[in-house]
Amino acid sequence: MIAKKETFISVMHNASAPTNWIHHHQGKFQIRYRPYTLQMNHVFTVASFSRTTTPVVLLELDFEGFTGYGEAAMPPYLGESQESVFGFLQQVDLSRFSSPFETADILAYVDALAPNNTAAKAAIDIALHDLIGKIMQQPFYKVWGLDSQKIPPTSFTIGIDTEAMIRQKVAEAGTYRMLKVKLGLETDKMIIETIRSVTDVPLCADVNQGWKDKYLALDMAGWLAERNVVFLEQPMPKDQAEDNAWLTARSPIPTIADEACQRLADVPALRGIYSGINIKLMKCTGMREAKQMAELARALDMKVMLGCMTETSCAISAAAQLAPLADWADLDGALLIGNDLFDGMKVHDGLCHLPERPGIGVIKKGD
């Protein structure tokens, strides 16, 4: 079952190649996966780093003539890599299961194989849901009984940049009904004022833990609220729980936990510290747990934001299946890259449109 070492090395050295799949036959299932590198349309800068690429691993899961597509996306700051995903996937053995409909047992087994590795686990989860939807011949949002017309408009992300580049990025995002703005450095007010000089669309501010002082954070929250910023995402470091709770109690706009909220078990303790949570498939191991997180947040009277990493339309379309449960959607990851391999969810005039295809709704370009 384990791939030969020399095969693994040759694949890793050809990370954007269109072939070179690693195959595992596992009873009625077959898994294959390969690395791929996403190319960003612009340098992507947030409070703590900049990058121009995102490594991903593409996965396919076969069962009785059906194929489900999955993806692990690994922005380097999360600690996963193509090598770590390959190492995790080599441990997976689905031969003990007879059907993809053993979803809860399969995903519990996968989750228990090793701690962390959430993007690798998400790749299997997404492929499994895609496979099940194809067998049932239904889009997965319909399997869940959700209404695709209730998906909120997606924001489009404007990274930290120069005044000229911000103007260019805002112009490129002219059809979007909300912009997500990266903040957290000394240029925060310049960025907002530059955007406000060219558009009055609502904004959401993602600080990526960039503000360290609660009084500064509260001052900024008030200043931003006056400029039609509708919420703050992770305004201060996640380990400053008391400061974040202090801010949430006083802020004129909601606060959303991102880095502070990874998985389902994190959610209950965040009530009162933040107004809501940002759910991302790559943080929480995939669609199944993401839906559980959204439902739990709702039960706790918390807001729900559905986010993403830089991803192909595979993972983005998977997340979009549960977007009707969200107050806000930030599903622009595939729009930030120039080499998407899939056709899936489309954005028109800032609105998400799911294709009426089974599973997560994607097809490989060229198929």
Side-chain angles (χ1 to χ4, degrees):
M1 187 184 78
I2 303 297
K4 292 182 180 179
K5 184 177 180 182
E6 55 269 25
T7 304
F8 173 73
I9 292 173
S10 70
V11 174
M12 293 311 302
H13 284 175
N14 200 9
S16 60
T19 55
N20 294 331
W21 293 86
I22 288 182
H23 297 254
H24 296 323
H25 292 273
Q26 302 180 355
K28 294 183 177 181
F29 294 92
Q30 178 175 319
I31 295 179
R32 57 186 171 273
Y33 45 90
R34 69 177 179 91
Y36 189 67
T37 300
L38 305 182
Q39 305 293 331
M40 310 285 290
N41 294 328
H42 294 291
V43 176
F44 190 72
T45 300
V46 300
S48 56
F49 61 88
S50 297
R51 57 188 169 86
T52 58
T53 62
T54 298
V56 303
V57 171
L58 305 174
L59 182 143
E60 297 184 0
L61 179 63
D62 293 344
F63 180 84
E64 295 185 348
F66 294 92
T67 299
Y69 298 131
E71 174 181 2
M74 291 85 58
Y77 70 95
L78 291 179
E80 286 186 80
S81 65
Q82 290 168 328
E83 290 87 348
S84 71
V85 172
F86 273 63
F88 180 85
L89 293 176
Q90 288 171 353
Q91 301 177 58
V92 175
D93 180 7
L94 299 183
S95 62
R96 66 190 68 199
F97 303 103
S98 60
S99 164
F101 288 91
E102 299 174 57
T103 314
D105 290 342
I106 292 172
L107 294 177
Y109 155 74
V110 170
D111 195 17
L113 282 174
N116 304 319
N117 290 282
T118 55
K121 295 170 182 177
I124 297 173
D125 169 283
I126 293 167
L128 188 63
H129 283 83
D130 192 33
L131 185 64
I132 291 169
K134 286 173 176 173
I135 293 170
M136 296 178 71
Q137 298 186 339
Q138 292 292 331
F140 222 89
Y141 73 87
K142 289 186 177 179
V143 176
W144 277 335
L146 301 177
D147 181 357
S148 65
Q149 299 303 308
K150 293 183 178 179
I151 298 177
T154 181
S155 56
F156 185 85
T157 302
I158 308 294
I160 295 171
D161 217 318
T162 64
E163 187 173 340
M165 280 303 300
I166 289 169
R167 289 177 183 273
Q168 178 183 330
K169 291 177 179 179
V170 172
E172 292 174 2
T175 62
Y176 288 84
R177 305 180 185 199
M178 178 178 283
L179 298 178
K180 177 175 175 174
V181 185
K182 296 289 188 176
L183 300 179
L185 299 179
E186 65 280 356
T187 53
D188 288 352
K189 289 190 175 182
M190 177 277 289
I191 290 172
I192 297 298
E193 287 168 346
T194 301
I195 294 171
R196 279 289 167 253
S197 71
V198 291
T199 181
D200 59 359
V201 300
L203 306 178
C204 50
D206 185 1
V207 189
N208 288 116
Q209 309 183 87
W211 299 336
K212 305 301 190 284
D213 178 79
K214 65 183 182 181
Y215 297 104
L216 166 68
L218 183 59
D219 285 346
M220 285 298 298
W223 187 85
L224 292 168
E226 292 171 355
R227 286 150 183 84
N228 199 19
V229 174
V230 296
F231 67 84
L232 291 174
E233 188 178 345
Q234 200 60 58
M236 289 184 287
K238 62 181 181 180
D239 57 3
Q240 293 180 216
E242 289 186 7
D243 288 344
N244 278 298
W246 182 92
L247 174 64
T248 297
R250 293 162 177 81
S251 174
I253 52 178
T255 61
I256 305 298
D258 182 11
E259 286 86 348
C261 182
Q262 305 294 318
R263 300 198 56 178
L264 180 66
D266 298 329
V267 177
L270 297 175
R271 186 184 189 188
I273 301 177
Y274 301 91
S275 312
I277 60 171
N278 185 1
I279 302 168
K280 297 179 181 177
L281 301 193
M282 297 302 144
K283 294 192 302 182
C284 73
T285 73
M287 296 168 65
R288 177 179 170 81
E289 187 159 320
K291 182 170 180 284
Q292 293 171 334
M293 291 175 72
E295 291 169 342
L296 178 57
R298 284 269 180 252
L300 295 173
D301 196 29
M302 297 179 74
K303 296 290 188 181
V304 174
M305 177 183 178
L306 187 63
C308 63
M309 309 300 180
T310 312
E311 301 161 355
T312 73
S313 289
C314 175
I316 294 295
S317 299
Q321 302 296 318
L322 57 113
L325 295 173
D327 296 288
W328 300 294
D330 180 37
L331 297 176
D332 65 343
L335 304 172
L336 304 177
I337 62 173
N339 59 339
D340 193 356
L341 292 174
F342 293 91
D343 179 89
M345 186 203 79
K346 294 285 196 299
V347 179
H348 300 297
D349 295 326
L351 297 178
C352 301
H353 297 271
L354 283 168
E356 286 298 310
R357 302 184 191 126
I360 61 172
V362 298
I363 55 175
K364 288 195 286 189
K365 290 183 177 179
D367 283 5

